[in-house]
Amino acid sequence: MKTIIADESHIPQVATSILEGIGNRKIILLKGNLGSGKTTLTKIILSQLGILGAITSPTFNIVNDYSFANDGHLYHFDLYRIKSIEELYEIGFEEYLDSGNICIIEWPEIAEELLPNNCLKVTIQMKDSERIYQID
């Protein structure tokens, strides 16, 4: 599915489409250039899932853990600073993926060999003042 929006006020509609299309897929991959809106989209998804409080980018932490009222978790990864697959093994990346919880992964390219085939893929492109979301 391809969605084109003119400004950030329409990102909640994109987040809703992602959540409606997630089905049994628990891993969401976000691809896009710096400043394309990956973290903004993640914040809106978390908000729509009922996560309250501060939602921050895990750029320096690598992963942020958000808890739900029913003891569920959502893991938000930013792999931008990861330089090797070994670093992912060190943080227990596969355990997060196998947890059955939702994982949102920004900059997932370094982790491709560890990811299952059924991930929900979201690619964000900027063109002039528009954002183009490709959801597969």
Side-chain angles (χ1 to χ4, degrees), residues 24-49:
N24 65 351
R25 299 183 282 182
K26 297 288 186 174
I27 300 171
I28 302 170
L29 308 179
L30 301 181
K31 296 181 178 186
N33 292 331
L34 283 170
S36 63
K38 296 178 296 295
T39 300
T40 300
L41 176 60
T42 300
K43 288 178 181 182
I44 293 169
I45 290 171
L46 287 164
S47 175
Q48 288 184 1
L49 289 171

Side-chain angles (χ1 to χ4, degrees), residues 2 9 16 18 20 26-27 37 41 49-50 56 61 64 71-72 82-83 94 98-99 101 105 109 112 122-123 131 133:
K2 187 179 209 174
S9 69
T16 299
I18 290 168
E20 289 173 350
K26 297 288 186 174
I27 300 171
L41 176 60
L49 289 171
T56 60
N61 303 3
N64 287 343
D71 291 331
I82 297 293
K83 302 295 181 218
E94 290 177 301
D98 295 338
S99 70
N101 293 297
I105 306 169
E109 293 80 2
E112 285 182 351
V122 180
T123 303
R131 282 193 172 99
Y133 294 85

Side-chain angles (χ1 to χ4, degrees), residues 86-134:
E86 288 75 25
E87 290 180 65
L88 294 175
Y89 288 120
E90 289 173 15
I91 65 166
F93 184 72
E94 290 177 301
E95 293 171 25
Y96 289 106
L97 298 179
D98 295 338
S99 70
N101 293 297
I102 296 173
C103 295
I104 298 177
I105 306 169
E106 297 183 35
W107 304 100
E109 293 80 2
I110 188 108
E112 285 182 351
E113 70 184 63
L114 300 176
L115 298 170
N117 293 328
N118 67 338
C119 297
L120 185 83
K121 298 174 181 90
V122 180
T123 303
I124 307 169
Q125 295 178 319
M126 300 289 292
K127 184 176 181 185
D128 300 321
S129 63
E130 296 178 327
R131 282 193 172 99
I132 303 166
Y133 294 85
Q134 180 66 45

Side-chain angles (χ1 to χ4, degrees), residues 68-87:
F68 292 92
N70 65 356
D71 291 331
H73 292 266
L74 183 146
Y75 302 112
H76 177 203
F77 292 87
D78 184 329
L79 303 183
Y80 182 75
R81 295 182 324 112
I82 297 293
K83 302 295 181 218
S84 71
I85 199 90
E86 288 75 25
E87 290 180 65

